[in-house]
Amino acid sequence: MTQTSHALVIDGLTIDRPNGQPLLRHTSFAIDRAEVVLLVGPSGSGKSTIVKLLGGLLENGPGEWRVSGRLHCGGQPMDLATERSPVGGIVFQDHALFNDLSAVENLRIAADHAAHPPDAVLIDGATALLDGIEPTQTVSSCSGGQRQRLAIARTLLADRPVLLFDEPNSGLDVAMARRLGELIRDLCRSMNKPALVVAHHVKDLLPVADRVLLFDTRNHRLVEVPRDADAIEAALLALDDSVPPASQPAGLTETGLAETGLAEAGILRSAGKGRDWRKEVGHRSRFHWFLRYLAEYFWELCVSPLMLIYMGAGALIMGFVSMWFGFHYNSFGGYLKSLLHDETLVGLGLVQGTVAVPLISSILFVARNNAIIAADIGNRVLSSQFSAMQNLRITARGYIFSAILINMVVGSLILLVVSLGMASWASMQTWHIQFPMQSFELWRSHFFRKLLPDGLHPAFSMVWVLLKVALSSLLAGGAAIVIGCGKKESVLEINAAIARSIIVGVTLTLLVHAVISILTL
Amino acid sequence: MTPVNALFGKPAAIAASLALGALFLSAGWTTLPTRHAAATVSYQLATPMDGTPAAAAAAPAAAPIPVPVFLMQPDHATMRSGTGLLRPDGRVDITLFDPSDPRLIHGSEALMFNTEFRVLWLLATDEERARLWRGIEEVGRGLRTAMDGILESPEFTGEYRDALQEIGRMAIEEAWRAPSTRATYEEFLRSAEPMLHDTVGRDLKAIAMKQVEPLVWNLIGANVGMALDPFRSQSWDLAPVDQAIDAILREAREAGLVNRAARQLADSWQAKAFLKTFAGNVVDALARQQRLRDVAGRMVNDPRLGAYLKPVSGPAGDLARLAPDLLFGVQAGADLNALAAHTFQGFLTGRGGPLIVMMSARQREDILTLDRYSPRILLHAVPQ
């Protein structure tokens, strides 16, 4: 097999499933530059596994997929048994766009994490697909077609040698599917890159395909079939389990290194009207992205208006309830209330400041944020965003996980201060309702006697309060990340993860508060 | 996406968050204690009054100490109105919670007290004190009636009186026989002898000598006839001796000689040691008496005697309800008795210290009429 003339050469590829069943046996194939190759096969045959393998997403090792074989790309040999393939840039079936980023940010983050900063030609080529899309447009506001083009552009900016499309025409009508096929073919020619397109419905894409590979599930091979829809359909029917195994389908030959010429470079020049996408994409450091995610989660987890109202309302109710029911009794004709007034205020201040408000603040904070984290992470897992990040060399842990944990700690402390302030205010006003003739200063001098012994500096016991609030939030956040990262195959599983995350987070919070409160009595 | 986001976009949401955060934090900030506030009014302790115990107890400490300041209103309800700083030189700088409070118009004068329940009594209204006195007198009357009834009851005289008298006698005898009692008694007698000798030798001798000369002549006059009768059968007439003794005793009594001697004896430490030892031994002897415990136990549990306590139970119950209500309760029209709370706290913790009550001049005079010693007068001073 001549390796130098092809963009991608796979030699002797063998893949075993985690359960030990074979997927492919000693398969070799090659793709030339600017060549569009369709990969077809029955549902569940393992087509996407090939895409994942080439995109570096296939988990191999003990208990996982087992892979052997060699890969040659750009003259660089690679042992697939021990190395992850860096050659494929994947356009995922569900696009896997980062829906917390705008359209242009989806491009920026891919460009900033590419092995080499994309040059102007590449940026122009990628952004040429984005006609009709505003750079600041949110992903959710894009149509299906716009999302598809955005996903392709993002993958292009990652500048991988091979473009991998996983069922790109899934859910598209015939006209849209054909236009997509033409787009892929034009891209390959203009970028001079090969494309491997996994497709279940092949008719719409056949016109743009240079070759067609069939996943032969009986013999665990990839075989080349004619670019003929009837022949492909017949071959697929022959692979159906109900049909007894026979000789290879008519017209199938072992795939080889097809002779394909290099497409003429013809970069699309229909970039968005009036938009200098090249300037918009620009270049930013990784620290910028770290701060970007830090700010995003700071907003969502800590200081969004609803969060502040929610925490403020909780503290308000806590302050009111403790002061109202702390005094609202009339034992012994009322004089006991008067006699015990000062010490009652001191006690309520101490309990509220060191136990009640920190606990209710932590529970509210953790319950709400664990739901958000589990939902957010679960959605990223379900929509393959983490896979896309990995394929684009974006370190999800470095950005998302650390941003979440930092904000859980910092946010819990900020909101503790806010809650203490609100609860104190509510307590003071509630007290004044009950003792309208007394000066607020009387309340201040007693309520803070144990919390601010000199009236200015917090007592040392507040260090333990900070510790239990920060620690409970950190542990709960970690639990939410772990739960969110579990395998997700449906929205129902995300819902279950949310519930589990709340329960685990609140339980951890209660335990941490109880243990530290008891230890520091 | 939050509703604010959806309706007005991210800038509006950020503005809303900033506004909410500022609102919550400023609300919390208003609850913090006021720090480093300047003194509103200053007083100076008047010169301590002739070293009375109250004045000595209230003498300023070496370092400035914080003192709670209360305001007494026209109806005698008190409210906490500030904090004072009592300096070593007797100066008191008061920082009022709210200097613009119109109720302070009734607090032009000030007195300093020690934190004790007596303050509540002094600051009560005349009517409240009168009600308390009536209650106390009712209890006293009831108690006397009850005790009279018990002591005169057939149950007591028939079953307990003899036994208690017997127990008392035995205890006194046992205490008298105790070596420690005897030792202190001997010591007392030894000390008494020189004192009596001195009194007799100096004061009584002078009085007696004044009566000796008339006595001689009176004896001669009364017995001169019988002295010349050789057949005398009557005894000597010694009536002048009796008269002289009476005269000596009268003159000694008029001179306070006996009282002085008795007082001198009683003032000696030997006498005090003897009496203390004796009394202690009596009590010890009573405590050792199993019979006393038995008798007392039977008395306490005797339902027949309990019936005689009825005259005191009613007034005592009324007083038990009335006193806390008047002294610790919340006055009509007030919502808190801050002074009672402070006093009660000082009682429980044992850390009372001084307190200042601001009041009108009339109220101050009324209190000083009740007690001129324990309250310390604060004079107006120029703020520094």
Side-chain angles (χ1 to χ4, degrees), chain A residues 138 299-300 303-306 308-309 311-313 332-343 368 414 417-418 420-422 424-426 428-429 431 434-439 441-446 448-449 452 454-456, chain B residues 2-5 10 12-18 20-21 23-25 27-36 73 78-80 97-98 101 103 320-321 324-325 328-330 333-338 340-342 344-345 348-349:
Chain A
T138 59
W299 174 257
E300 286 300 333
V303 294
S304 67
L306 269 184
L308 289 174
I309 291 170
M311 295 295 289
F332 299 98
Y335 62 78
L336 199 57
K337 176 164 77 171
S338 186
L339 278 186
L340 299 178
H341 170 269
D342 294 1
E343 291 307 309
R368 186 255 190 190
I414 290 174
V417 173
V418 170
L420 284 173
M422 273 311 289
S424 299
W425 182 83
M428 191 172 77
Q429 298 300 331
W431 173 83
Q434 297 178 89
F435 302 100
M437 300 174 72
Q438 307 302 317
S439 167
E441 201 61 36
L442 177 64
W443 179 90
R444 293 184 184 113
S445 62
H446 293 309
F448 288 108
R449 197 194 301 166
L452 306 171
D454 63 353
L456 181 64
Chain B
T2 64
V4 177
N5 260 337
K10 194 83 171 213
I14 291 172
S17 283
L18 287 174
L20 285 169
L23 179 70
F24 294 166
L25 289 176
W29 186 259
T30 62
T31 67
L32 293 177
T34 306
R35 295 174 292 275
H36 312 304
Q73 297 175 70
T78 52
M79 56 174 285
R80 179 79 188 270
F97 289 159
D98 181 10
D101 189 341
R103 291 172 292 190
R321 281 187 291 275
D325 199 31
F328 301 120
V330 180
D335 52 24
L336 184 66
N337 190 342
H342 178 76
F344 188 68
Q345 184 193 345
L348 289 181
T349 60

Side-chain angles (χ1 to χ4, degrees), chain B residues 183-254:
Chain B
T184 53
Y185 182 64
E186 296 296 334
E187 180 65 28
F188 169 62
L189 287 183
R190 273 197 297 278
S191 71
E193 216 167 300
M195 280 188 279
L196 288 172
H197 184 267
D198 190 43
T199 303
V200 170
R202 193 177 60 239
D203 301 330
L204 194 61
K205 183 182 176 186
I207 294 170
M209 290 309 290
K210 273 192 348 190
Q211 298 297 331
V212 167
E213 194 177 343
L215 170 65
V216 172
W217 289 110
N218 288 341
L219 275 175
I220 291 171
N223 294 288
V224 68
M226 282 185 281
L228 297 175
D229 182 0
F231 304 103
R232 169 176 70 89
S233 58
Q234 292 180 317
S235 58
W236 297 106
D237 183 2
L238 296 178
V241 175
D242 294 333
Q243 290 164 1
I245 289 172
D246 286 344
I248 290 170
L249 288 174
R250 187 167 57 248
E251 194 169 339
R253 191 163 52 244
E254 287 169 358

